[in-house]
Amino acid sequence: MVRVPIVYSKCYSTPRRPFEKERLDQELKLIGEYGLRNKREVWRVRYTLAKMRKAARELLTLEEKDSRRLFEGNALLRRLVRIGVLDEQQMKLDYVLGLKLENFLERRLQTQVFKLGLAKSIHHARVLIRQRHIRVRKQVVTVPSFIVRLDSQKHIDFSLQSPFGGGRPGRVKRRNAKKGKEDTTGGDDAGDDDE
């Protein structure tokens, strides 16, 4: 049997200068502000942004009425509007070049859960997502970096199986409730045995 090699493509690129103080400080600030796990998560978003800007730059070099520019440019702009990075009024390729890292980080599920007030902090939001407490529409999402579309933003809520969303209470709450029942029913019997 012939084994087909799996083709992986890199989803991030490391910085050219590893110890540039301004960049290191900026990345650390972003990690703290958006509750990211490591620098690689910043680099991943930066790489996505770089690819989009590169595509926009390439399309801007073509003529205005070029069929490729019209077709691919429109697709790129529609995609950015759908995920909420660009506004409806900013449907021009020039605005793609003005995008910042923060525009994409704002659209992550982790940030949205915190902004909607479902979590106490940005770090709590990440924990809730990983522990299957959050759903988008009917689907439970366990990926903090999930990019939320504009039409899905209203449908972020606690999962139906989650204790926060009216599901079965958690392990500790069940244990405490059981302990409370034992104290009320078995308290008199325990006293009799000691005497």
Side-chain angles (χ1 to χ4, degrees):
M1 188 171 145
V2 180
R3 288 190 62 196
V4 179
I6 301 169
V7 180
Y8 295 106
S9 64
K10 273 199 116 169
C11 58
Y12 70 94
S13 63
T14 54
R16 272 206 195 111
R17 298 181 174 174
F19 303 111
E20 203 173 12
K21 187 168 181 2
E22 296 86 49
R23 183 187 51 77
L24 289 172
D25 292 342
Q26 184 196 13
E27 284 173 353
L28 203 60
K29 189 175 173 222
L30 285 172
I31 286 172
E33 191 180 337
Y34 291 100
L36 307 178
R37 184 178 60 166
N38 52 28
K39 297 280 178 84
R40 193 167 51 215
E41 289 198 335
V42 178
W43 298 339
R44 192 170 62 200
V45 178
R46 185 170 283 153
Y47 185 64
T48 308
L49 175 61
K51 280 199 294 190
M52 291 195 175
R53 290 182 60 171
K54 184 181 177 184
R57 266 201 314 273
E58 193 181 313
L59 291 171
L60 280 167
T61 59
L62 303 172
E63 290 177 27
E64 192 118 352
K65 297 280 183 258
D66 195 320
S67 60
R68 181 172 164 232
R69 176 173 171 171
L70 290 171
F71 184 75
E72 289 182 19
N74 220 358
L76 177 68
L77 291 169
R78 268 205 324 271
R79 192 163 76 234
L80 290 173
V81 167
R82 194 171 61 207
I83 64 172
V85 176
L86 280 179
D87 291 335
E88 288 280 351
Q89 294 82 31
Q90 299 178 328
M91 287 280 280
K92 283 192 177 153
L93 287 171
D94 299 320
Y95 290 110
V96 177
L97 300 179
L99 286 176
K100 289 191 170 65
L101 211 60
E102 288 84 353
N103 298 107
F104 284 90
L105 291 172
E106 284 290 331
R107 300 306 307 163
R108 298 174 85 234
L109 180 61
Q110 182 180 354
T111 314
Q112 292 299 320
V113 166
F114 175 55
K115 291 270 170 78
L116 287 169
L118 298 175
K120 295 172 188 167
S121 71
I122 196 89
H123 305 290
H124 185 223
R126 191 180 185 99
V127 172
L128 286 177
I129 294 164
R130 285 299 297 157
Q131 293 178 355
R132 303 176 62 85
H133 290 296
I134 302 294
R135 69 185 161 107
V136 178
R137 295 215 155 112
K138 291 180 181 176
Q139 184 69 46
V140 173
V141 182
T142 60
V143 183
S145 62
F146 176 84
I147 297 293
V148 180
R149 291 181 178 179
L150 270 183
D151 54 344
S152 302
Q153 192 169 346
K154 298 185 286 290
H155 304 288
I156 299 171
D157 201 9
F158 287 118
S159 149
L160 298 174
Q161 279 79 36
S162 163
F164 302 112
R168 178 178 177 214
R171 179 181 60 85
V172 176
K173 196 166 189 174
R174 287 199 309 269
R175 190 187 64 198
N176 290 344
K178 188 178 173 187
K179 200 184 288 183
K181 280 182 189 172
E182 285 176 6
D183 288 347
T184 55
T185 57
D188 300 334
D189 298 339
D192 294 341
D193 293 340
D194 291 338
E195 289 174 65

